[in-house]
């Protein structure tokens, strides 16, 4: 059954957060609508990852109110798929692609019993959605960087989320691989709210619908209204956007 639509996927109201009295985010007021495709950008130390962790309920604000999928963050966690910046998964550990994706089913059913047939069906569907179904039996350690990221996204999808949060999933990947991941996320956005932190500012205007600029404060822009000057104000330096034509869709060309 399709979930009821929500007005907001994420809402921050008068939110302030500090680490040991060092202010990181101050008076944040922003809403991300259900179905949005949002990129979070900002300088190192500006609070991007902190913003995601607040939405996940991993951190508590010093003051203010946060709602995710209409609930307190910790109560909404089962509806969130999350790909951290540095996943706690040693690529040398002897697990298969399916083993990794099945981790996303933990906590979705009987925690004391074995996986059920539906768990495997959901995991395989997630792998198919990210284009990695044919690799399901391969050792995770044998995959390329881009393939590993796709498998980790499949793991997040295996919990059947409504909201997908990604913290720099394209870091250290070649530009062509990055672009493939962006296009995959665009397809996932057809059924999910997607919020992604990115260090690659140049591609933002041609990929995402909205951009969240974070540097202790937060400003939400439509990508069509975003200018190089807006971004330069956040980063404190000149930024060049990369405008490139979209690659043709093979299906539409057929």
């Amino acid at each position: 059954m399709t979930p009821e639509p929500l007005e907001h996927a994420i809402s921050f109201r008068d939110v302030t957060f500090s680490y040991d009295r060092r202010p990181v985010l101050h008076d944040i007021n922003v809403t991300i609508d259900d179905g949005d495709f949002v990129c979070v950008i900002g300088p190192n130390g500006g609070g991007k990852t902190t913003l995601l962790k607040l939405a996940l309920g991993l951190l508590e604000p010093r003051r203010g109110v946060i709602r995710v999928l209409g609930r307190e963050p910790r109560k909404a966690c089962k509806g969130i798929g999350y790909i951290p910046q540095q996943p706690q998964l040693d690529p040398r550990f002897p697990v298969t692609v399916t083993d990794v994706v099945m981790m996303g089913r933990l906590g979705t059913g009987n925690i004391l019993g074995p996986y059920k047939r539906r768990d495997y069906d959901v995991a395989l569907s997630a792998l198919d959605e990210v284009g990695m179904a044919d690799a399901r039996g391969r050792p995770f350690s044998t995959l390329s960087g881009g393939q590993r990221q796709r498998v980790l996204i499949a793991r997040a999808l295996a919990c059947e989320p409504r909201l997908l949060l990604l913290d720099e999933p394209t870091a250290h990947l070649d530009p062509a691989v990055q672009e493939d991941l962006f296009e995959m996320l665009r397809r996932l956005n057809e059924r999910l709210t997607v919020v992604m932190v990115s260090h690659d500012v140049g591609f933002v205007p041609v990929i995402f619908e909205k951009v969240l600029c974070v540097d202790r404060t937060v400003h939400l822009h439509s990508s069509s209204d975003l200018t190089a000057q807006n971004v330069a104000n956040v980063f404190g330096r000149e930024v060049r956007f990369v405008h490139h034509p979209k690659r043709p869709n093979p299906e539409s060309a057929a």
Side-chain angles (χ1 to χ4, degrees):
M1 186 170 65
T2 303
E4 287 291 324
L6 296 166
E7 182 179 356
H8 302 307
I10 302 175
S11 172
F12 283 73
R13 190 167 71 248
D14 301 324
V15 171
T16 292
F17 179 82
S18 302
Y19 286 112
D20 297 326
R21 298 185 181 179
R22 179 176 61 86
V24 177
L25 295 169
H26 181 68
D27 281 342
I28 305 302
N29 285 280
V30 68
T31 56
I32 293 173
D33 294 334
D34 190 37
D36 273 352
F37 191 30
V38 180
C39 187
V40 182
I41 63 172
N44 290 337
K48 303 184 299 295
T49 295
T50 298
L51 195 75
L52 292 194
K53 288 183 176 181
L54 285 166
L56 288 160
L58 299 176
L59 298 173
E60 291 285 342
R62 193 178 76 186
R63 67 178 177 85
V65 177
I66 303 172
R67 291 292 180 267
V68 179
L69 303 176
R71 311 178 72 184
E72 295 177 12
R74 288 186 179 180
K75 293 181 179 178
C77 62
K78 289 187 178 180
I80 305 172
Y82 175 50
I83 297 90
Q85 191 175 78
Q86 296 178 323
Q88 300 300 309
L89 184 64
D90 187 340
R92 297 168 298 180
F93 193 73
V95 291
T96 66
V97 165
T98 297
D99 292 332
V100 172
V101 179
M102 289 298 290
M103 295 174 189
R105 297 301 297 167
L106 297 173
T108 61
N110 182 3
I111 61 174
L112 298 179
Y115 289 121
K116 300 186 184 307
R117 180 70 257 168
R118 185 174 184 279
D119 295 317
Y120 288 100
D121 290 342
V122 170
L124 184 56
S125 177
L127 279 170
D128 186 56
E129 196 164 15
V130 302
M132 292 295 293
D134 289 344
R136 59 187 178 273
R138 285 180 58 183
F140 184 73
S141 60
T142 66
L143 303 182
S144 67
Q147 290 173 326
R148 288 178 185 175
Q149 285 292 47
R150 285 176 176 267
V151 171
L152 293 174
I153 291 171
R155 181 179 68 173
L157 295 176
C159 73
E160 300 179 286
R162 298 185 65 176
L163 169 64
L164 190 61
L165 302 179
L166 308 97
D167 197 352
E168 298 202 20
T170 60
H172 312 301
L173 299 180
D174 293 338
V177 178
Q178 290 184 32
E179 190 173 351
D180 285 340
L181 279 175
F182 286 145
E183 290 298 331
M184 183 189 71
L185 292 173
R186 193 202 300 274
R187 292 193 299 271
L188 290 174
N189 178 239
E190 294 175 4
R191 66 178 185 83
L192 296 171
T193 305
V194 177
V195 179
M196 187 188 101
V197 172
S198 178
H199 68 289
D200 195 344
V201 179
F203 283 96
V204 167
V206 293
I207 299 294
F208 296 89
E209 296 170 354
K210 296 180 180 179
V211 180
L212 206 61
C213 298
V214 180
D215 186 13
R216 302 190 187 279
T217 60
V218 170
H219 299 282
L220 184 65
H221 301 271
S222 167
S223 61
S224 60
D225 297 331
L226 191 70
T227 66
Q229 187 59 52
N230 294 145
V231 179
N233 290 340
V234 173
F235 284 86
R237 58 179 171 80
E238 184 179 351
V239 174
R240 267 181 53 185
F241 289 151
V242 177
H243 294 282
H244 60 94
K246 293 180 184 178
R247 288 177 297 176
N249 184 333
E251 294 180 3
S252 61

